Amino acid sequence: FFGKIEIKPQKTAPSAKLPLPPFIYVHVLEGKIVLSRLGAQVVLKPGDCHMIPGEGEYELYIPDLLKTAASLFITHPSFLVS
């Protein structure tokens, strides 16, 4: 478990400033988060979750003009992924 991450409106959090375990499970608590990885984008809303490899480059962007977004970052054990 890494903890709760909050990102301000219209800001980006690149992977260089975030934890880099083998796998990360992202669970959105509030706001909307656009996850970009390998040229693809996934829009995550409250209650959504997504697992990504933590070793590659990715970024989280908050498209909302006024609302902060928050999510939980959780380590995902690599032995559960085939």
Side-chain angles (χ1 to χ4, degrees), residues 4 8 13 16 20 24-25 28-30 33 39 43 47 53 56-57 63 67 72 75-76 78-82:
K4 181 179 175 183
K8 296 185 185 240
L20 298 172
I24 299 170
Y25 177 80
V28 180
L29 299 173
E30 59 185 280
I33 298 175
V43 178
E57 289 186 27
K67 191 172 185 183
L72 292 177
T75 319
H76 191 279
S78 60
F79 64 83
L80 294 179
V81 179
S82 54

Side-chain angles (χ1 to χ4, degrees), residues 4-56:
K4 181 179 175 183
I5 294 177
E6 292 186 12
I7 306 170
K8 296 185 185 240
Q10 299 227 314
K11 297 292 181 184
T12 301
S15 58
K17 294 189 176 195
L18 296 170
L20 298 172
F23 293 94
I24 299 170
Y25 177 80
V26 180
H27 181 87
V28 180
L29 299 173
E30 59 185 280
K32 185 190 307 184
I33 298 175
V34 177
L35 170 66
S36 299
R37 185 175 178 280
L38 300 174
Q41 293 186 338
V42 177
V43 178
L44 302 169
K45 296 172 280 194
D48 289 348
C49 54
H50 194 75
M51 189 176 75
I52 56 172
E55 297 168 337

